[in-house]
């Protein structure tokens, strides 16, 4: 897939989409350019074909230091392609996207731009799935973009899956998180991140501190929510998913604590990804959305 034109999903004409997919440069609401890619669902090569618009689109958000071209995210996206069209993108400061990473704050605008693009392409139902930092972003995005106002370019999610996400900010209880805080808060750490991890981090502290994931979770219902976490996660222990689940609506939320699972997209086995895809398909079928 070759790079495509810059697209404002809320106002511009949407380029044609073929069976090989499409790349575009999206503009966020705060003016950052975000690289994104679209791949149709297997068996539905073009939105102009029968059933295209009824096909669920899944927007997949990577973890910190990831991008849409990293092998782990490509593998995860490919695992979902049999059930949904897939949109991947690189958060600001990652990959070929512009701007600098705010480590989960302004990244909500990046996800919103990707969701709007999926709807502008013709998908009436859009689910969001995020890993680690992306997992915190999908929770905050779902809380801040409620499904009160539908439409072709609405930014809300119809289902949310958060994998390996933190519950609260500033957690330093593991060696992995202490290293991450060094990379984010220290000039030397940010240099290492830029050169070694190809991740450009904004040097300023949050002001104000954004809504935390655990504070966002109660605002997501009635949208279906799945929380997935491994018992071998080296970043966030099991009190994080349990805290998130305790704050969520029991009527619309599920918690999977996965034995042997580590952290985020790098550790997600094909079997787990397939079960997540099945959960999304089941919830969307129950909601009246076609998902293959």
């Amino acid at each position: 897939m070759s790079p495509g034109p810059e697209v404002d999903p809320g106002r511009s004409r949407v380029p044609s989409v073929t069976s090989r997919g499409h790349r575009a440069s999206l503009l966020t609401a705060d003016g950052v350019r975000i690289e994104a890619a679209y791949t149709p669902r297997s068996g539905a090569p073009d939105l102009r074909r029968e059933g295209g618009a009824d096909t669920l689109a899944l927007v997949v958000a990577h973890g910190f230091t990831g991008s849409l071209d990293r092998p782990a995210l490509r593998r995860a996206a490919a695992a979902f392609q049999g059930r949904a069209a897939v949109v991947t993108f690189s958060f600001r400061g990652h990959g070929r996207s512009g701007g600098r990473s705010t480590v989960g704050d302004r990244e909500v605008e990046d996800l919103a731009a990707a969701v709007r693009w999926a709807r502008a392409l013709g998908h009436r139902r859009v689910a969001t799935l995020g890993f680690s930092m992306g997992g915190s972003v999908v929770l905050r995005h779902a809380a801040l973009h409620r499904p009160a106002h539908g439409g072709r370019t609405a930014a809300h999610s119809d289902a949310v899956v958060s994998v390996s996400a933190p519950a609260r900010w500033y957690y330093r209880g593991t060696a992995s998180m202490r290293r991450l805080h060094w990379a984010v808060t220290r000039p030397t750490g940010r240099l290492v991140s830029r050169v070694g991890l190809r991740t450009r981090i904004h040097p300023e502290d949050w002001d104000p501190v954004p809504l935390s994931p655990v504070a966002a979770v109660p605002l997501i219902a009635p949208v279906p929510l799945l929380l997935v976490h491994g018992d071998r996660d080296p970043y966030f222990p099991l009190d994080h998913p349990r805290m998130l689940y305790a704050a969520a609506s029991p009527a619309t939320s599920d918690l999977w604590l996965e034995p042997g699972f580590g952290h985020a997209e790098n550790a997600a086995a094909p079997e787990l990804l397939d079960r997540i895809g099945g959960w999304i398909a089941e919830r969307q079928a129950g909601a009246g959305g076609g998902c293959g």
Side-chain angles (χ1 to χ4, degrees), residues 122-133:
H123 294 282
R124 288 194 289 267
R125 302 197 68 77
V126 180
T128 54
L129 182 151
F131 296 98
S132 191
M133 181 186 77

Side-chain angles (χ1 to χ4, degrees), residues 134-152:
S136 72
V137 173
V138 298
L139 296 176
R140 296 183 57 245
H141 166 268
L144 297 172
H145 292 270
R146 307 295 299 278
H149 303 288
R152 186 167 177 265

Side-chain angles (χ1 to χ4, degrees), residues 30-57:
D30 60 345
V32 178
R33 178 187 57 80
I34 299 300
E35 65 168 348
Y38 172 87
T39 305
R41 176 175 60 86
S42 301
D46 196 308
L47 282 180
R48 293 167 294 185
R49 303 218 176 168
E50 182 177 356
D54 287 334
T55 302
L56 175 74

Side-chain angles (χ1 to χ4, degrees), residues 15-226:
S16 61
V17 178
T18 69
S19 60
R20 295 181 61 196
H22 175 73
R23 288 208 179 197
S25 178
L26 310 179
L27 288 175
T28 68
D30 60 345
V32 178
R33 178 187 57 80
I34 299 300
E35 65 168 348
Y38 172 87
T39 305
R41 176 175 60 86
S42 301
D46 196 308
L47 282 180
R48 293 167 294 185
R49 303 218 176 168
E50 182 177 356
D54 287 334
T55 302
L56 175 74
L58 176 62
V59 180
V60 183
H62 62 77
F64 184 63
T65 75
S67 76
L68 66 81
D69 285 322
R70 291 291 176 91
L73 191 75
R74 292 170 65 93
R75 176 177 58 83
F80 300 121
Q81 197 178 333
R83 299 182 187 270
V86 178
V87 171
T88 53
F89 65 98
S90 296
F91 280 120
R92 61 187 63 201
H94 294 72
R96 288 186 291 272
S97 290
R100 297 182 184 183
S101 174
T102 63
V103 200
D105 180 11
R106 301 300 297 172
E107 282 75 10
V108 168
E109 299 296 344
D110 307 344
L111 179 59
V115 171
R116 290 189 184 101
W117 187 43
R119 293 195 189 278
L121 287 169
H123 294 282
R124 288 194 289 267
R125 302 197 68 77
V126 180
T128 54
L129 182 151
F131 296 98
S132 191
M133 181 186 77
S136 72
V137 173
V138 298
L139 296 176
R140 296 183 57 245
H141 166 268
L144 297 172
H145 292 270
R146 307 295 299 278
H149 303 288
R152 186 167 177 265
T153 57
H156 69 274
S157 302
D158 294 300
V160 180
V161 180
S162 179
V163 182
S164 304
R168 54 195 185 274
W169 301 137
Y170 304 112
Y171 176 73
R172 293 179 172 86
T174 58
S176 295
M177 285 304 297
R178 288 191 288 274
R179 287 192 296 269
L180 187 146
H181 277 274
W182 174 83
V184 170
T185 62
R186 301 295 181 86
T188 303
R190 292 193 292 271
L191 176 62
V192 170
S193 296
R194 185 174 73 248
V195 175
L197 301 175
R198 293 177 291 175
T199 302
R200 306 173 306 281
I201 303 170
H202 202 288
E204 297 180 5
D205 294 337
W206 287 336
D207 185 18
V209 175
L211 182 75
S212 71
V214 73
V217 162
L219 306 177
I220 294 175
V223 173
L225 169 65
L226 172 62

Side-chain angles (χ1 to χ4, degrees), residues 56 58 80 83 126-129 139 157-163 220 222-228 245 249-256 258 271-287 289 291:
L56 175 74
L58 176 62
F80 300 121
R83 299 182 187 270
V126 180
T128 54
L129 182 151
L139 296 176
S157 302
D158 294 300
V160 180
V161 180
S162 179
V163 182
I220 294 175
V223 173
L225 169 65
L226 172 62
L227 302 165
V228 181
Y245 186 63
S249 166
T252 57
S253 304
D254 292 308
L255 171 63
W256 295 355
E258 296 295 311
E271 182 273 338
L272 175 59
L273 296 172
D274 184 65
R275 283 197 288 121
I276 290 172
W279 182 93
I280 296 170
E282 180 181 345
R283 295 308 181 278
Q284 292 309 290
C291 41

